[in-house]
């Protein structure tokens, strides 16, 4: 439940000429809330902003959000609920009502003494936590991340959540109908391929069909027989080309998309828009996550998945949607962090990096790098950054382990600084106890020195990848702040709607397209000072799909 804040907006009168005690309590509260000189600490800044905005109130002067400072200190915690933070850091147990009050989940009508007590207690807990975190943040050099990045980003995210994105319900229903047809057809043809009906959703029945009836090669053994997960079916299909598998996979793919669209449909609000909720303290790398519904996991690699973006559309009064995304941001960060002269030069020359690396590894001119070669080296480049072994690479590229080992060796011979960087990053993290992004966002990895090999190796993979993914997250957050501020500074009506990792989606007001395009490109490119340029790709159109590129 939302907190019961004063329900009407305060009169926009000048409060400064009157001493505060002459004002009505509600007006006094409103004045205090919007006073940037009156410092406030809070647990859940974004939620408070939204609740207050809905009641016509402004909130300024927030110097700490303990749900975020707690995260910056320990980004790997499972939750940052007030009760848990209080228990862990202050060693105090707080009653459920206090926790609810602190998280703005308590309804309060002004006459309920118990609720009032809970609110007062909650305020004391949040303040105590914030005081405790002050030193912790300083020690970890995270004060600036909090004050100049995360808190301002909360404000931008609150606006984006409130705005939401318009949905074309007819298109949504059309897609659902199309998918229903695809699903039926795939099922029919799957039945035809084996000569009888079977429940395609039952792993047990599928095992009987695949391994008893059709006698296909066995997949990985699991408790209940042999696995029929997506990856195994894919490799089984590649081995056998069996029609039943073709249809089964088409069926699954379509069923998954249908489920996704159905859940999107359920989350369309009364205003015809979907309002996701972003979280800044869920992904330990620093990435923003999206929930209820998750708008960051709509498939992008398949045309069918991309098509789902067609249901997100521009709304009345606006000209188009604009999608802007960073090109190869992770590889650019890798080039920057490793300082590899070859990679940096390639980016400075405006080369397509994966093509460039492909040409170096396969010893052919860049224009003879096929798309198969390109995707191989791409998988390898990212794989290595994420701790992939030659065994893992051989599986991924479906080549022998020897071949994979040779590829890796060639890669590292050519891009030696990358190898040194990747090695160094883990060694350094072992010494420091944490990894850091370009902006200094830390991730503590105590398991790096664990005696448990599995825990240790997992921590090593995290150490490899966190600086890269985390730096990308910092950069897009800086870009969001720049875009938001610049839209305001130029007095534009266009607004940011979505953030999907390396992509921003904006709704462009009539006549503002050129200005917005220029502004977004400029702000995104300027969001970090790397030794390689940041490149931004822009697309516009009536839907998110059409704006894609
Ligand atoms: N990714 C990965 N492994 C891959 C491919 C991608 O981990 N084999 C991750 C890291 C980059 C991110 O997904 C975005 O993917 P792409 O856009 O495919 O990568 P890119 O470097 O931007 O390449 P391209 O120029 O083809 O877009
Ligand atoms: Mg890309």
């Amino acid at each position: 439940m939302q907190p019961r804040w004063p329900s009407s907006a305060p009169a926009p009168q000048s409060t400064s000429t009157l001493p505060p005690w002459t004002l009505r309590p509600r007006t006094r509260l409103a004045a205090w809330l919007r006073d940037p000189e009156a410092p406030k600490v809070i647990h859940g800044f974004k939620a408070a902003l939204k609740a207050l905005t809905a009641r016509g109130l402004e909130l300024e002067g927030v110097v700490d959000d303990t749900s975020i400072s707690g995260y910056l200190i320990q980004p790997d915690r499972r939750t940052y609920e007030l009760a848990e933070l209080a228990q862990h850091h202050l060693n105090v147990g707080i009653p459920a009502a206090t926790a609810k009050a602190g998280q703005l989940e308590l309804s309060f009508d002004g006459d309920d003494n118990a609720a009032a007590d809970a609110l007062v207690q909650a305020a004391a807990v949040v303040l105590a936590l914030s005081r405790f975190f002050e030193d912790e943040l300083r020690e970890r050099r995270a004060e600036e991340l909090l004050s100049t990045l995360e808190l301002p980003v909360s404000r931008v995210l609150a606006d984006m959540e409130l705005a939401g994105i318009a949905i074309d319900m007819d298109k949504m229903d059309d897609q659902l109908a199309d998918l229903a047809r695809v699903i039926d057809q795939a099922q029919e043809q799957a039945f035809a391929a084996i000569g009888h009906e079977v429940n395609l959703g039952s792993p047990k029945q599928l095992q009987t069909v695949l391994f008893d009836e059709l006698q296909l090669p066995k997949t990985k053994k699991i408790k209940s027989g042999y696995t029929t997960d997506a990856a195994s079916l894919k490799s089984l299909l590649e081995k056998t080309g069996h029609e039943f598998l073709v249809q089964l996979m088409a069926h699954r793919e379509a069923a998954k998309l249908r489920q996704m669209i159905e859940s999107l449909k359920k989350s369309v609000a009364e205003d015809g828009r979907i309002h996701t909720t972003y979280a800044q303290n869920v992904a330990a790398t620093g990435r923003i996550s999206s929930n209820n519904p998750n708008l960051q996991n709509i498939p992008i690699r398949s045309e069918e998945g991309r098509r789902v973006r067609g249901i997100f559309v521009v709304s009345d009064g606006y000209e188009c949607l604009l999608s802007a995304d960073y090109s190869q941001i992770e590889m650019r960060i890798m080039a920057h962090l490793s300082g590899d002269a070859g990679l940096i030069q390639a980016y400075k020359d405006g080369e397509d990096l994966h093509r460039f690396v492909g040409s170096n590894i396969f010893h052919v001119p860049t224009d003879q790098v096929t798309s198969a070669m390109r995707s191989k080296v791409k998988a390898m480049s990212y794989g290595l950054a994420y701790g992939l072994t030659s065994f893992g690479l051989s599986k991924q590229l479906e080549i022998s382990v020897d071949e994979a080992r040779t590829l890796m060796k060639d890669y590292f011979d050519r891009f030696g600084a990358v190898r040194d960087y990747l090695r160094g990053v883990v060694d350094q993290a072992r010494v420091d106890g944490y990894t850091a992004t370009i902006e200094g966002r830390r991730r503590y990895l105590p398991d790096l020195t664990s005696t448990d090999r599995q825990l240790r190796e997992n921590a090593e993979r995290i150490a490899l990848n966190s600086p890269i993914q985390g730096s990308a997250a910092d950069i897009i957050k800086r870009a969001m702040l720049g875009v938001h501020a610049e839209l305001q500074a130029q007095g534009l009506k266009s607004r940011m709607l979505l953030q999907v990792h390396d992509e921003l989606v904006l709704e462009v007001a009539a006549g503002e397209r050129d200005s917005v395009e220029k502004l977004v490109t400029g702000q995104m490119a300027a969001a970090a000072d790397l030794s390689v340029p940041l490149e931004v790709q822009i697309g516009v159109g009536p839907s998110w799909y059409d704006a894609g590129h």
Side-chain angles (χ1 to χ4, degrees):
M1 225 180 300
Q2 298 285 349
R4 302 241 341 233
W5 298 94
S7 54
S8 63
Q13 54 185 286
S14 158
T15 52
S16 55
T17 53
L18 295 169
W21 58 85
T22 62
L23 302 173
R24 289 181 304 125
R26 186 173 290 176
T27 316
R28 233 156 52 201
L29 175 64
W32 177 76
L33 284 171
R34 70 164 169 261
D35 183 358
E37 302 302 322
K40 293 141 195 114
V41 299
I42 200 162
H43 190 85
F45 178 34
K46 179 159 63 66
L49 268 174
K50 287 170 71 180
L52 291 169
T53 303
R55 289 157 181 81
L57 294 165
E58 292 166 57
L59 179 57
E60 296 287 346
V62 170
V63 294
D64 189 17
D65 173 348
T66 44
S67 77
I68 292 181
S69 43
Y71 161 82
L72 287 172
I73 288 164
Q74 289 185 323
D76 276 282
R77 286 192 80 78
R78 197 176 45 82
T79 79
Y80 297 89
E81 281 174 9
L82 188 62
E84 204 180 302
L85 292 181
Q87 186 66 60
H88 182 82
H89 293 288
L90 307 176
N91 200 19
V92 290
I94 60 173
T98 304
K100 270 179 83 171
Q103 296 180 169
L104 315 178
E105 289 159 4
L106 190 75
S107 144
F108 178 58
D109 64 9
D111 288 328
D112 178 344
N113 281 335
D117 283 350
L119 279 165
V120 171
Q121 275 179 22
V125 172
V126 174
L127 187 58
L129 256 183
S130 179
R131 295 233 159 102
F132 176 79
F133 286 163
E134 239 181 274
D135 289 338
E136 301 277 312
L137 286 169
R138 193 172 308 120
E139 217 167 276
R140 292 167 170 78
R141 310 234 181 289
E143 305 137 290
E144 286 213 350
L145 273 177
L146 178 68
S147 62
T148 73
L149 194 65
E150 298 296 351
L151 291 176
V153 162
S154 293
R155 204 174 266 289
V156 175
L157 291 174
D159 283 352
M160 291 162 64
E161 291 178 14
L162 286 170
I165 183 163
I167 298 300
D168 182 335
M169 297 299 278
D170 292 338
K171 221 189 258 171
M172 197 174 226
D173 287 333
D174 287 349
Q175 289 198 5
L176 284 171
D178 285 351
L179 286 167
R181 264 195 302 277
V182 172
I183 289 168
D184 282 350
Q185 205 182 355
Q187 171 166 303
E188 237 168 71
Q189 291 177 0
F191 294 170
I194 53 171
H196 65 89
E197 297 197 355
V198 56
N199 180 355
L200 295 177
S202 156
K204 196 83 220 133
Q205 293 188 30
L206 285 180
Q207 288 181 20
T208 309
V209 169
L210 296 175
F211 308 118
D212 298 341
E213 279 180 48
L214 301 178
Q215 292 283 318
L216 298 181
K218 302 274 199 293
T219 55
K220 204 173 105 208
K221 191 136 178 53
I222 52 169
K223 234 189 262 142
S224 54
Y226 297 93
T227 178
T228 53
D229 67 13
S232 308
L233 289 188
K234 183 164 170 273
S235 93
L236 208 52
L237 172 61
E238 274 155 14
K239 271 187 217 148
T240 65
H242 200 286
E243 178 62 15
F244 178 74
L245 288 170
V246 174
Q247 299 304 334
L248 172 60
M249 289 182 67
H251 184 269
R252 273 200 188 168
E253 204 51 43
K256 232 168 58 191
L257 280 180
R258 176 166 71 176
Q259 201 179 19
M260 172 171 278
I261 296 176
E262 265 162 3
S263 101
L264 288 174
K265 189 171 174 177
K266 285 198 198 95
S267 43
V268 178
E270 268 173 34
D271 61 0
R273 303 173 76 90
I274 287 182
H275 303 262
T276 183
T277 302
Y278 292 103
Q280 290 161 269
N281 61 5
V282 169
T285 50
R287 275 181 153 197
I288 293 171
S289 66
S290 151
N291 226 315
N292 285 326
N294 182 348
L295 296 183
Q296 296 180 328
N297 68 348
I298 301 171
I300 185 113
R301 295 195 200 281
S302 69
E303 172 58 20
E304 291 78 13
R306 276 197 298 273
R307 226 164 64 95
V308 177
R309 287 172 176 70
I311 66 181
F312 297 83
V313 293
V314 61
S315 54
D316 288 347
Y318 291 86
E319 183 178 320
C320 58
L321 293 183
L322 178 147
S323 154
D325 66 348
Y326 282 119
S327 150
Q328 304 177 355
I329 187 157
E330 287 93 349
M331 277 317 290
R332 288 171 200 267
I333 291 168
M334 168 86 106
H336 174 83
L337 288 174
S338 69
D340 188 278
L343 293 189
I344 291 174
Q345 197 52 47
Y347 272 129
K348 284 193 172 156
D349 295 343
E351 294 230 39
D352 170 9
L353 192 89
H354 300 306
R355 193 169 288 283
F356 171 78
V357 175
S359 132
N360 276 272
I361 299 302
F362 294 110
H363 309 291
V364 295
T366 39
D367 57 0
Q368 281 171 37
V369 176
T370 63
S371 66
M373 286 154 98
R374 187 182 186 277
S375 56
K376 268 190 188 187
V377 296
K378 179 156 113 184
M380 179 167 63
S381 296
Y382 286 122
L384 295 175
Y386 300 158
L388 196 68
T389 58
S390 49
F391 176 73
L393 186 65
S394 76
K395 293 270 287 188
Q396 192 171 336
L397 299 183
E398 286 156 358
I399 53 178
S400 73
V401 178
D402 270 350
E403 210 179 323
R405 203 173 288 133
T406 309
L407 267 181
M408 279 172 72
K409 186 178 175 307
D410 287 351
Y411 183 90
F412 282 143
D413 281 350
R414 181 67 190 75
F415 306 107
V418 172
R419 181 197 45 218
D420 298 345
Y421 163 73
L422 291 172
R423 257 192 214 148
V425 96
V426 177
D427 291 344
Q428 190 63 43
R430 208 175 284 117
V431 173
D432 296 338
Y434 60 83
T435 60
T437 64
I438 299 170
E439 288 230 23
R441 178 191 300 277
R442 293 187 189 176
R443 185 162 180 193
Y444 287 82
L445 296 167
D447 285 344
L448 279 176
T449 51
S450 170
T451 48
D452 180 328
R453 183 174 149 188
Q454 206 174 337
L455 287 178
R456 200 173 59 239
E457 287 181 347
N458 192 41
E460 287 172 0
R461 269 190 295 277
I462 293 173
L464 278 178
N465 140 326
S466 290
I468 296 175
Q469 248 191 41
S471 295
D474 293 346
I475 291 173
I476 190 111
K477 282 177 178 170
R478 285 271 171 236
M480 290 168 74
L481 294 181
V483 169
H484 193 260
E486 203 48 35
L487 283 171
Q488 254 177 359
Q490 296 187 20
L492 297 170
K493 292 198 181 61
S494 303
R495 51 190 184 170
M496 216 176 338
L497 302 185
L498 305 180
Q499 194 263 32
V500 186
H501 304 315
D502 59 356
E503 175 185 11
L504 296 177
V505 178
L506 287 92
E507 195 162 38
V508 180
E512 297 184 356
R513 192 176 133 181
D514 288 346
S515 323
V516 171
E517 200 170 317
K518 214 164 120 210
L519 174 166
V520 170
T521 311
Q523 291 299 324
M524 285 177 78
D529 190 13
L530 305 184
S531 42
V532 295
L534 278 173
E535 220 165 84
V536 180
Q537 291 173 334
I538 301 254
V540 294
S543 78
W544 188 10
Y545 173 85
D546 298 306
H549 36 264

